[in-house]
Amino acid sequence: MEVTITNENFETLKNGDLPLVVDFWATWCGPCRMIGPIIAELAKEYDGRIVVGKCDVEENDDLAMDFGIRNIPTILFFKNGEVVDKMIGAAAKAKIQEKFEALL
């Protein structure tokens, strides 16, 4: 299940027991819309093992600025509260899934 990442809940999710994947996106972004269904699918597949969240950069620009997000989509992978990997731009499901597997 995907969660909506906001300025208010990010720290709690980042420091939770499970790894966190955050998809930084915007409604007007074509590549974001392309990978959106892939992220949703992976969120279901990894439910209970990885928390998967979407962060709208328009609504949560503080978070985007904190992580230096300049291009979207950008996916950040967190483990133990720290960024351990990053993907910029659209990618195939297999490529994104590799990053999910690396978190486990």
XYZ file of all heavy atoms in Angstrom:
812
model
N 0.832 -1.183 0.000
C 0.000 0.000 0.000
C 0.881 1.252 0.000
O 1.859 1.326 0.727
C -0.886 -0.026 1.242
C -1.763 1.182 1.377
S -2.744 1.118 2.873
C -1.732 2.108 3.945
N 0.522 2.196 -0.836
C 1.248 3.467 -0.875
C 0.728 4.405 0.206
O -0.448 4.399 0.516
C 1.025 4.164 -2.220
C 1.760 3.564 -3.360
C 1.459 4.306 -4.650
O 0.295 4.658 -4.899
O 2.395 4.525 -5.397
N 1.634 5.197 0.749
C 1.237 6.238 1.689
C 1.606 7.585 1.077
O 2.510 7.681 0.253
C 1.914 6.072 3.074
C 1.486 4.792 3.740
C 3.414 6.135 2.971
N 0.891 8.603 1.485
C 1.204 9.950 1.039
C 2.220 10.536 2.011
O 1.982 10.577 3.216
C -0.074 10.817 1.006
O -0.991 10.219 0.091
C 0.230 12.231 0.561
N 3.345 10.949 1.471
C 4.410 11.541 2.290
C 4.195 13.046 2.352
O 4.027 13.700 1.325
C 5.799 11.260 1.680
C 6.038 9.765 1.492
C 6.901 11.925 2.499
C 6.288 8.987 2.737
N 4.195 13.567 3.568
C 4.038 15.005 3.772
C 5.170 15.510 4.668
O 5.897 14.719 5.278
C 2.691 15.330 4.454
O 2.700 14.739 5.766
C 1.510 14.802 3.656
N 5.278 16.818 4.751
C 6.254 17.411 5.665
C 6.016 16.923 7.090
O 6.951 16.754 7.866
C 6.161 18.942 5.631
C 6.590 19.516 4.296
O 7.494 19.009 3.652
N 5.935 20.580 3.876
N 4.752 16.672 7.430
C 4.382 16.312 8.798
C 4.705 14.862 9.147
O 5.074 14.567 10.279
C 2.882 16.562 9.036
C 2.488 18.029 9.058
C 2.451 18.663 7.661
O 2.142 17.954 6.673
O 2.748 19.863 7.547
N 4.548 13.916 8.215
C 4.725 12.511 8.575
C 6.056 11.919 8.124
O 6.377 10.779 8.445
C 3.567 11.661 8.038
C 3.566 11.495 6.530
O 4.432 11.989 5.816
N 2.559 10.804 6.036
N 6.850 12.667 7.399
C 8.068 12.116 6.816
C 9.037 11.573 7.859
O 9.536 10.451 7.736
C 8.774 13.159 5.933
C 10.093 12.671 5.436
C 10.157 11.693 4.465
C 11.275 13.171 5.957
C 11.380 11.214 4.007
C 12.502 12.703 5.515
C 12.552 11.727 4.547
N 9.347 12.346 8.886
C 10.339 11.923 9.886
C 9.917 10.618 10.561
O 10.747 9.737 10.778
C 10.559 13.011 10.938
C 11.385 14.183 10.444
C 12.810 13.803 10.048
O 13.444 12.976 10.730
O 13.298 14.336 9.038
N 8.637 10.496 10.871
C 8.139 9.278 11.511
C 8.322 8.080 10.595
O 8.793 7.024 11.023
C 6.645 9.435 11.875
O 6.511 10.559 12.748
C 6.100 8.199 12.560
N 7.961 8.237 9.321
C 8.088 7.134 8.366
C 9.556 6.805 8.095
O 9.938 5.636 8.025
C 7.376 7.477 7.062
C 5.852 7.572 7.155
C 5.270 8.164 5.884
C 5.247 6.205 7.429
N 10.381 7.827 7.972
C 11.807 7.631 7.687
C 12.493 6.856 8.800
O 13.379 6.042 8.550
C 12.479 8.989 7.493
C 13.968 8.905 7.208
C 14.586 10.266 7.112
C 14.919 10.724 8.497
N 15.910 11.741 8.636
N 12.081 7.093 10.018
C 12.717 6.466 11.170
C 11.957 5.253 11.687
O 12.208 4.783 12.794
C 12.915 7.497 12.285
C 13.887 8.579 11.865
O 14.979 8.287 11.389
N 13.490 9.830 12.006
N 11.036 4.731 10.876
C 10.259 3.557 11.270
C 11.093 2.283 11.198
O 12.280 2.291 10.859
N 10.446 1.165 11.507
C 11.123 -0.135 11.530
C 11.424 -0.678 10.138
O 12.331 -1.486 9.969
C 10.272 -1.159 12.287
C 10.137 -0.807 13.761
O 11.042 -0.130 14.299
O 9.128 -1.204 14.370
N 10.646 -0.258 9.146
C 10.799 -0.780 7.784
C 11.549 0.212 6.899
O 11.482 1.420 7.119
C 9.424 -1.049 7.160
C 8.547 -2.094 7.842
C 7.183 -2.167 7.168
C 9.224 -3.456 7.835
N 12.251 -0.301 5.874
C 12.851 0.611 4.896
C 11.761 1.460 4.239
O 10.592 1.056 4.187
C 13.491 -0.324 3.871
C 13.626 -1.645 4.557
C 12.501 -1.697 5.552
N 12.141 2.608 3.735
C 11.198 3.539 3.126
C 11.656 3.890 1.716
O 12.833 4.174 1.495
C 11.113 4.818 3.965
C 10.299 5.987 3.418
C 8.811 5.640 3.334
C 10.513 7.238 4.258
N 10.714 3.859 0.776
C 10.962 4.298 -0.594
C 10.046 5.492 -0.833
O 8.841 5.408 -0.593
C 10.650 3.179 -1.616
C 10.765 3.707 -3.040
C 11.574 1.992 -1.403
N 10.608 6.612 -1.274
C 9.821 7.817 -1.520
C 9.942 8.221 -2.984
O 11.038 8.460 -3.484
C 10.262 8.996 -0.624
C 9.388 10.221 -0.889
C 10.214 8.613 0.844
N 8.797 8.281 -3.652
C 8.706 8.725 -5.042
C 8.333 10.210 -5.023
O 7.221 10.565 -4.644
C 7.641 7.903 -5.764
C 7.361 8.374 -7.176
O 8.194 9.110 -7.749
O 6.302 7.992 -7.720
N 9.284 11.071 -5.388
C 9.015 12.509 -5.505
C 8.458 12.758 -6.897
O 9.098 12.427 -7.892
C 10.296 13.319 -5.285
C 10.756 13.340 -3.857
C 11.585 12.337 -3.373
C 10.357 14.343 -2.998
C 12.016 12.349 -2.055
C 10.771 14.370 -1.677
C 11.602 13.365 -1.209
N 7.275 13.346 -6.968
C 6.565 13.483 -8.238
C 5.716 14.752 -8.250
O 5.653 15.476 -7.253
C 5.669 12.267 -8.447
C 4.496 12.265 -7.501
C 4.519 12.058 -6.142
C 3.147 12.547 -7.816
N 3.271 12.182 -5.604
C 2.396 12.486 -6.616
C 2.490 12.848 -8.992
C 1.028 12.708 -6.575
C 1.116 13.060 -8.942
C 0.412 12.990 -7.744
N 5.071 15.010 -9.391
C 4.091 16.108 -9.526
C 3.041 15.669 -10.544
O 3.328 14.870 -11.445
C 4.776 17.389 -9.984
N 1.858 16.215 -10.407
C 0.744 15.820 -11.282
C 1.002 16.163 -12.741
O 0.545 15.458 -13.629
C -0.569 16.497 -10.838
O -0.360 17.912 -10.802
C -1.010 16.011 -9.476
N 1.764 17.209 -13.021
C 2.018 17.662 -14.380
C 3.179 16.941 -15.060
O 3.474 17.169 -16.232
C 2.296 19.166 -14.395
C 3.290 19.600 -13.361
C 3.017 20.114 -12.125
C 4.718 19.523 -13.453
N 4.187 20.370 -11.446
C 5.250 20.019 -12.234
C 5.609 19.095 -14.434
C 6.614 20.085 -11.979
C 6.973 19.163 -14.171
C 7.462 19.653 -12.960
N 3.844 16.054 -14.349
C 5.055 15.384 -14.839
C 4.718 14.099 -15.590
O 4.235 13.137 -14.997
C 5.955 15.099 -13.634
S 7.345 14.009 -13.957
N 4.990 14.078 -16.893
C 4.710 12.904 -17.721
C 5.451 11.653 -17.271
O 4.837 10.596 -17.083
N 6.783 11.711 -17.101
C 7.509 10.524 -16.637
C 7.021 10.034 -15.261
O 7.027 8.840 -14.991
C 8.966 10.988 -16.571
C 9.043 12.104 -17.572
C 7.704 12.792 -17.501
N 6.577 10.969 -14.417
C 6.032 10.583 -13.105
C 4.781 9.729 -13.287
O 4.575 8.735 -12.591
C 5.681 11.817 -12.272
S 7.078 12.884 -11.876
N 3.940 10.134 -14.227
C 2.711 9.372 -14.497
C 3.041 8.009 -15.092
O 2.307 7.052 -14.896
C 1.778 10.168 -15.399
C 1.155 11.372 -14.684
C -0.019 11.966 -15.433
N 0.285 12.345 -16.805
C 0.716 13.539 -17.196
N 0.905 14.489 -16.298
N 0.954 13.794 -18.460
N 4.160 7.927 -15.814
C 4.570 6.641 -16.388
C 4.975 5.643 -15.300
O 4.609 4.473 -15.374
C 5.751 6.822 -17.348
C 5.391 7.418 -18.677
S 6.836 7.802 -19.707
C 7.895 6.395 -19.513
N 5.729 6.092 -14.309
C 6.183 5.148 -13.287
C 5.213 5.005 -12.120
O 5.357 4.088 -11.320
C 7.605 5.477 -12.767
C 7.617 6.757 -11.940
C 8.610 5.478 -13.880
C 8.849 6.889 -11.065
N 4.223 5.883 -12.037
C 3.243 5.818 -10.952
C 2.626 4.434 -10.768
O 2.612 3.896 -9.657
N 2.123 3.819 -11.856
C 1.538 2.474 -11.718
C 2.564 1.419 -11.292
O 2.230 0.485 -10.565
C 0.995 2.171 -13.113
C 0.807 3.510 -13.753
C 1.880 4.387 -13.180
N 3.806 1.577 -11.711
C 4.862 0.631 -11.314
C 5.108 0.744 -9.808
O 5.204 -0.266 -9.104
C 6.172 0.908 -12.092
C 5.963 0.631 -13.577
C 7.330 0.092 -11.524
C 7.104 1.105 -14.473
N 5.192 1.972 -9.316
C 5.414 2.197 -7.884
C 4.248 1.620 -7.078
O 4.452 0.958 -6.059
C 5.597 3.709 -7.579
C 6.829 4.266 -8.306
C 5.667 3.974 -6.083
C 8.150 3.672 -7.875
N 3.015 1.832 -7.564
C 1.829 1.301 -6.877
C 1.865 -0.223 -6.830
O 1.529 -0.838 -5.804
C 0.558 1.796 -7.566
N 2.268 -0.827 -7.929
C 2.353 -2.288 -8.007
C 3.406 -2.821 -7.028
O 3.162 -3.779 -6.295
C 2.746 -2.663 -9.442
C 2.346 -4.033 -9.877
C 2.661 -4.220 -11.360
O 2.092 -3.487 -12.205
O 3.500 -5.104 -11.653
N 4.569 -2.183 -7.009
C 5.629 -2.607 -6.096
C 5.227 -2.383 -4.639
O 5.580 -3.180 -3.767
C 6.930 -1.876 -6.417
C 7.605 -2.302 -7.723
C 8.730 -1.344 -8.089
C 8.123 -3.725 -7.635
N 4.479 -1.331 -4.379
C 3.997 -1.066 -3.020
C 3.151 -2.233 -2.527
O 3.267 -2.652 -1.368
C 3.203 0.239 -2.975
N 2.314 -2.774 -3.399
C 1.484 -3.932 -3.023
C 2.346 -5.173 -2.833
O 2.155 -5.927 -1.883
C 0.424 -4.191 -4.094
C -0.689 -3.179 -4.100
C -1.700 -3.474 -5.184
C -2.687 -2.328 -5.292
N -3.415 -2.352 -6.547
N 3.282 -5.397 -3.748
C 4.134 -6.582 -3.691
C 5.022 -6.607 -2.445
O 5.321 -7.674 -1.919
C 5.016 -6.672 -4.938
C 4.249 -6.996 -6.210
C 5.131 -6.975 -7.450
O 6.366 -7.174 -7.343
O 4.566 -6.759 -8.547
N 5.462 -5.440 -1.998
C 6.384 -5.360 -0.868
C 5.693 -4.911 0.422
O 6.367 -4.588 1.395
C 7.554 -4.433 -1.200
C 8.514 -5.066 -2.184
C 8.266 -4.996 -3.551
C 9.633 -5.750 -1.756
C 9.127 -5.590 -4.469
C 10.502 -6.345 -2.658
C 10.245 -6.269 -4.014
O 11.097 -6.871 -4.904
N 4.365 -4.911 0.424
C 3.604 -4.496 1.605
C 4.031 -5.330 2.819
O 4.144 -6.546 2.733
C 2.100 -4.657 1.346
C 1.264 -3.994 2.418
O 1.701 -2.966 2.968
O 0.164 -4.502 2.712
N 4.303 -4.652 3.916
C 4.728 -5.332 5.130
C 6.237 -5.496 5.234
O 6.756 -5.852 6.286
N 6.946 -5.244 4.127
C 8.412 -5.360 4.134
C 9.088 -4.023 3.876
O 10.185 -3.771 4.370
C 8.878 -6.375 3.087
C 8.360 -7.779 3.373
C 8.946 -8.799 2.423
N 8.391 -8.590 1.084
C 8.970 -9.028 -0.029
N 10.115 -9.671 0.022
N 8.408 -8.821 -1.200
N 8.448 -3.177 3.045
C 8.963 -1.849 2.707
C 7.787 -0.884 2.699
O 6.723 -1.207 2.162
C 9.643 -1.845 1.313
C 10.877 -2.748 1.302
C 10.008 -0.420 0.898
C 11.536 -2.892 -0.067
N 7.966 0.287 3.281
C 6.951 1.338 3.203
C 7.228 2.121 1.918
O 8.356 2.556 1.682
C 7.014 2.278 4.424
C 6.043 3.430 4.262
C 6.734 1.510 5.700
N 6.203 2.280 1.101
C 6.341 2.998 -0.159
C 5.458 4.232 -0.104
O 4.261 4.142 0.155
C 5.944 2.107 -1.361
C 6.076 2.883 -2.666
C 6.800 0.848 -1.398
N 6.066 5.386 -0.341
C 5.319 6.634 -0.267
C 5.525 7.498 -1.493
O 6.526 7.391 -2.200
N 4.549 8.358 -1.733
C 4.616 9.327 -2.823
C 4.603 10.718 -2.197
O 3.792 10.995 -1.334
C 3.431 9.147 -3.766
C 3.489 7.794 -4.483
C 2.416 7.629 -5.509
C 2.565 8.462 -6.722
N 3.606 8.114 -7.659
N 5.511 11.550 -2.658
C 5.619 12.913 -2.140
C 5.439 13.892 -3.292
O 6.285 13.975 -4.180
C 6.971 13.108 -1.469
S 7.174 14.756 -0.779
N 4.330 14.623 -3.277
C 4.060 15.633 -4.294
C 4.952 16.837 -4.009
O 4.819 17.479 -2.971
C 2.582 16.012 -4.251
C 2.172 16.949 -5.372
O 2.995 17.785 -5.799
O 1.017 16.860 -5.818
N 5.867 17.130 -4.939
C 6.833 18.208 -4.709
C 6.175 19.581 -4.673
O 6.729 20.518 -4.105
C 7.982 18.191 -5.749
C 8.795 16.918 -5.622
C 7.469 18.370 -7.156
N 5.005 19.702 -5.280
C 4.287 20.987 -5.256
C 3.725 21.273 -3.863
O 3.687 22.411 -3.431
C 3.135 20.952 -6.266
C 3.576 20.687 -7.684
C 3.824 21.958 -8.451
O 2.941 22.823 -8.470
O 4.919 22.078 -9.025
N 3.278 20.216 -3.192
C 2.650 20.386 -1.879
C 3.655 20.301 -0.731
O 3.360 20.728 0.381
C 1.563 19.327 -1.686
C 0.401 19.487 -2.654
C -0.611 18.376 -2.538
O -0.504 17.533 -1.620
O -1.531 18.344 -3.375
N 4.806 19.688 -0.992
C 5.807 19.470 0.058
C 7.183 19.928 -0.423
O 8.149 19.178 -0.369
C 5.836 17.981 0.435
C 4.495 17.500 0.915
O 4.083 17.790 2.029
N 3.791 16.775 0.067
N 7.249 21.169 -0.860
C 8.500 21.654 -1.436
C 9.645 21.701 -0.423
O 10.813 21.641 -0.802
C 8.306 22.993 -2.137
C 7.741 24.076 -1.237
O 7.221 23.755 -0.153
O 7.815 25.253 -1.627
N 9.332 21.766 0.881
C 10.388 21.741 1.899
C 11.179 20.440 1.823
O 12.408 20.448 1.885
C 9.808 21.893 3.310
C 9.295 23.288 3.585
O 9.531 24.186 2.747
O 8.658 23.486 4.630
N 10.460 19.327 1.695
C 11.131 18.029 1.612
C 11.972 17.930 0.344
O 13.100 17.449 0.375
C 10.113 16.885 1.635
C 9.579 16.479 2.993
C 8.524 15.399 2.858
C 10.702 15.996 3.883
N 11.402 18.374 -0.759
C 12.131 18.341 -2.026
C 13.411 19.172 -1.908
O 14.483 18.741 -2.363
C 11.247 18.847 -3.158
N 13.327 20.331 -1.289
C 14.503 21.180 -1.119
C 15.518 20.535 -0.175
O 16.715 20.570 -0.436
C 14.099 22.557 -0.607
C 13.481 23.411 -1.690
S 12.883 25.041 -1.163
C 13.983 25.549 0.090
N 15.032 19.912 0.908
C 15.924 19.265 1.873
C 16.801 18.207 1.208
O 17.954 18.017 1.600
C 15.131 18.603 3.007
C 14.531 19.616 3.968
O 14.890 20.810 3.889
O 13.686 19.210 4.789
N 16.247 17.513 0.216
C 16.981 16.430 -0.442
C 17.541 16.836 -1.803
O 18.033 15.996 -2.544
C 16.102 15.186 -0.554
C 15.858 14.546 0.774
C 14.667 14.747 1.440
C 16.851 13.796 1.388
C 14.442 14.182 2.689
C 16.642 13.232 2.630
C 15.444 13.425 3.289
N 17.470 18.117 -2.109
C 18.050 18.603 -3.359
C 17.392 18.032 -4.601
O 18.056 17.817 -5.613
N 16.087 17.796 -4.524
C 15.359 17.238 -5.666
C 15.211 18.339 -6.713
O 14.536 19.336 -6.488
C 13.958 16.706 -5.256
C 14.056 15.706 -4.103
C 13.238 16.129 -6.465
C 14.805 14.444 -4.391
N 15.845 18.150 -7.860
C 15.769 19.133 -8.936
C 15.072 18.576 -10.159
O 14.624 19.331 -11.013
C 17.172 19.594 -9.308
C 17.818 20.337 -8.173
C 19.008 21.113 -8.639
N 19.518 21.900 -7.524
C 20.778 22.020 -7.230
N 21.681 21.411 -7.955
N 21.160 22.749 -6.210
N 15.059 17.257 -10.273
C 14.397 16.593 -11.389
C 13.412 15.574 -10.824
O 13.708 14.922 -9.821
C 15.421 15.860 -12.260
C 16.444 16.801 -12.836
O 16.107 17.720 -13.551
N 17.707 16.587 -12.495
N 12.287 15.438 -11.492
C 11.334 14.429 -11.084
C 10.968 13.588 -12.302
O 11.050 14.092 -13.430
C 10.075 15.046 -10.413
C 9.443 16.098 -11.299
C 10.406 15.581 -9.040
C 8.136 16.638 -10.778
N 10.632 12.340 -12.100
C 10.580 11.667 -10.806
C 11.978 11.380 -10.252
O 12.896 11.082 -10.987
C 9.862 10.356 -11.118
C 10.179 10.083 -12.557
C 10.281 11.440 -13.208
N 12.072 11.502 -8.946
C 13.249 11.054 -8.206
C 12.743 10.127 -7.118
O 11.792 10.446 -6.418
C 14.013 12.236 -7.565
O 14.593 13.030 -8.605
C 15.113 11.745 -6.641
N 13.377 8.970 -7.009
C 13.006 8.000 -5.983
C 14.175 7.874 -5.026
O 15.303 7.608 -5.445
C 12.675 6.624 -6.597
C 11.573 6.748 -7.644
C 12.271 5.636 -5.502
C 11.349 5.490 -8.461
N 13.898 8.099 -3.740
C 14.922 7.937 -2.710
C 14.624 6.676 -1.906
O 13.471 6.386 -1.597
C 14.953 9.145 -1.768
C 15.338 10.490 -2.376
C 15.376 11.565 -1.288
C 16.673 10.420 -3.095
N 15.678 5.961 -1.565
C 15.571 4.711 -0.818
C 16.237 4.907 0.534
O 17.429 5.233 0.597
C 16.262 3.588 -1.599
C 15.648 3.347 -2.950
C 16.022 4.118 -4.046
C 14.688 2.369 -3.125
C 15.454 3.916 -5.295
C 14.104 2.154 -4.372
C 14.488 2.922 -5.454
N 15.466 4.731 1.614
C 15.951 4.952 2.973
C 16.022 3.635 3.740
O 15.118 2.813 3.651
C 14.980 5.863 3.746
C 14.911 7.264 3.234
C 14.055 7.595 2.196
C 15.684 8.262 3.792
C 13.962 8.897 1.722
C 15.605 9.566 3.331
C 14.745 9.885 2.295
N 17.108 3.485 4.490
C 17.235 2.355 5.406
C 17.844 2.905 6.683
O 18.811 3.669 6.629
C 18.119 1.276 4.794
C 18.074 -0.027 5.549
C 18.699 -1.139 4.733
C 18.381 -2.462 5.392
N 18.782 -3.573 4.549
N 17.256 2.555 7.810
C 17.718 3.056 9.114
C 17.775 4.575 9.137
O 18.689 5.170 9.702
C 19.069 2.452 9.479
C 19.006 0.944 9.574
O 18.039 0.386 10.080
N 20.026 0.280 9.063
N 16.810 5.219 8.473
C 16.702 6.673 8.495
C 17.639 7.412 7.559
O 17.634 8.637 7.526
N 18.462 6.683 6.790
C 19.444 7.310 5.909
C 19.165 6.970 4.446
O 18.735 5.864 4.135
C 20.851 6.820 6.252
C 21.282 7.107 7.674
C 21.460 8.584 7.951
O 21.894 9.323 7.050
O 21.160 9.008 9.086
N 19.457 7.915 3.549
C 19.343 7.653 2.115
C 20.461 6.688 1.732
O 21.631 6.972 1.954
C 19.468 8.951 1.282
C 19.451 8.635 -0.208
C 18.359 9.927 1.626
N 20.072 5.544 1.158
C 21.073 4.557 0.753
C 21.143 4.400 -0.765
O 22.080 3.796 -1.286
C 20.832 3.182 1.421
C 21.036 3.282 2.922
C 19.467 2.626 1.085
N 20.149 4.941 -1.477
C 20.159 4.858 -2.930
C 19.203 5.903 -3.494
O 18.370 6.446 -2.772
C 19.740 3.464 -3.396
C 20.322 3.095 -4.752
O 20.858 3.991 -5.450
O 20.232 1.912 -5.126
N 19.349 6.146 -4.808
C 18.553 7.185 -5.455
C 18.408 6.839 -6.935
O 19.353 6.326 -7.545
C 19.322 8.506 -5.303
C 18.753 9.694 -5.982
C 19.746 10.848 -5.810
C 19.076 12.182 -5.869
N 19.985 13.273 -5.583
N 17.232 7.107 -7.482
C 16.995 6.961 -8.921
C 16.378 8.250 -9.425
O 15.470 8.784 -8.792
C 16.000 5.835 -9.213
C 16.536 4.452 -9.108
S 15.299 3.238 -9.626
C 15.441 3.383 -11.393
N 16.865 8.732 -10.555
C 16.303 9.937 -11.162
C 15.780 9.561 -12.540
O 16.491 8.930 -13.323
C 17.352 11.054 -11.272
C 17.860 11.423 -9.872
C 16.773 12.275 -11.973
C 19.035 12.371 -9.878
N 14.535 9.954 -12.810
C 13.931 9.675 -14.110
C 13.145 8.380 -14.116
O 13.170 7.609 -13.165
N 12.434 8.173 -15.211
C 11.619 6.974 -15.363
C 12.514 5.774 -15.635
O 13.596 5.904 -16.215
C 10.618 7.158 -16.497
N 12.062 4.598 -15.198
C 12.813 3.363 -15.411
C 11.830 2.204 -15.505
O 10.674 2.313 -15.087
C 13.790 3.139 -14.268
N 12.309 1.103 -16.022
C 11.487 -0.106 -16.127
C 11.263 -0.700 -14.739
O 12.065 -0.486 -13.819
C 12.181 -1.117 -17.019
N 10.198 -1.475 -14.609
C 9.862 -2.085 -13.329
C 11.022 -2.920 -12.794
O 11.344 -2.853 -11.614
C 8.604 -2.950 -13.447
C 8.225 -3.589 -12.128
C 6.999 -4.461 -12.222
C 6.719 -5.115 -10.868
N 5.578 -6.011 -10.918
N 11.667 -3.710 -13.658
C 12.764 -4.576 -13.216
C 13.892 -3.778 -12.572
O 14.455 -4.190 -11.555
C 13.291 -5.391 -14.391
N 14.195 -2.633 -13.132
C 15.272 -1.779 -12.603
C 14.889 -1.226 -11.222
O 15.699 -1.224 -10.297
C 15.529 -0.626 -13.581
C 16.587 0.313 -13.157
C 17.895 -0.032 -13.799
C 18.872 1.099 -13.558
N 20.165 0.651 -13.212
N 13.646 -0.772 -11.098
C 13.177 -0.242 -9.807
C 13.104 -1.368 -8.785
O 13.488 -1.201 -7.626
C 11.815 0.460 -9.968
C 11.948 1.641 -10.948
C 11.298 0.947 -8.620
C 10.616 2.261 -11.368
N 12.639 -2.544 -9.215
C 12.506 -3.674 -8.298
C 13.873 -4.117 -7.766
O 13.973 -4.526 -6.606
C 11.806 -4.831 -9.000
C 11.396 -5.927 -8.048
C 10.412 -6.881 -8.674
O 10.183 -6.885 -9.888
N 9.808 -7.702 -7.840
N 14.915 -4.003 -8.561
C 16.273 -4.306 -8.093
C 16.625 -3.463 -6.882
O 17.231 -3.959 -5.918
C 17.302 -3.991 -9.187
C 17.528 -5.042 -10.203
C 18.540 -4.592 -11.244
O 19.437 -3.759 -10.933
O 18.437 -5.060 -12.384
N 16.250 -2.194 -6.940
C 16.542 -1.272 -5.832
C 15.739 -1.655 -4.593
O 16.240 -1.567 -3.471
C 16.215 0.164 -6.227
C 16.920 0.646 -7.481
C 18.323 1.068 -7.199
C 18.933 1.733 -8.416
N 20.296 2.144 -8.163
N 14.470 -2.091 -4.795
C 13.647 -2.552 -3.678
C 14.318 -3.761 -3.014
O 14.420 -3.824 -1.791
C 12.241 -2.938 -4.153
C 11.262 -1.804 -4.217
C 11.425 -0.746 -5.107
C 10.154 -1.796 -3.397
C 10.520 0.286 -5.176
C 9.234 -0.764 -3.459
C 9.417 0.282 -4.341
N 14.754 -4.708 -3.825
C 15.380 -5.928 -3.300
C 16.640 -5.587 -2.507
O 16.914 -6.227 -1.486
C 15.716 -6.892 -4.432
C 14.507 -7.632 -4.976
C 13.864 -8.570 -3.968
O 14.582 -9.224 -3.195
O 12.615 -8.639 -3.966
N 17.388 -4.605 -2.955
C 18.618 -4.221 -2.279
C 18.342 -3.667 -0.867
O 19.224 -3.702 -0.009
C 19.392 -3.202 -3.114
N 17.141 -3.159 -0.635
C 16.781 -2.620 0.677
C 16.534 -3.714 1.714
O 16.615 -3.463 2.906
C 15.513 -1.758 0.588
C 15.664 -0.332 0.131
C 14.311 0.347 0.068
C 16.605 0.463 0.999
N 16.180 -4.890 1.231
C 15.796 -5.974 2.163
C 17.003 -6.690 2.757
O 18.074 -6.654 2.292
C 14.879 -6.974 1.462
C 13.568 -6.378 0.969
C 12.792 -7.411 0.181
C 12.728 -5.875 2.131
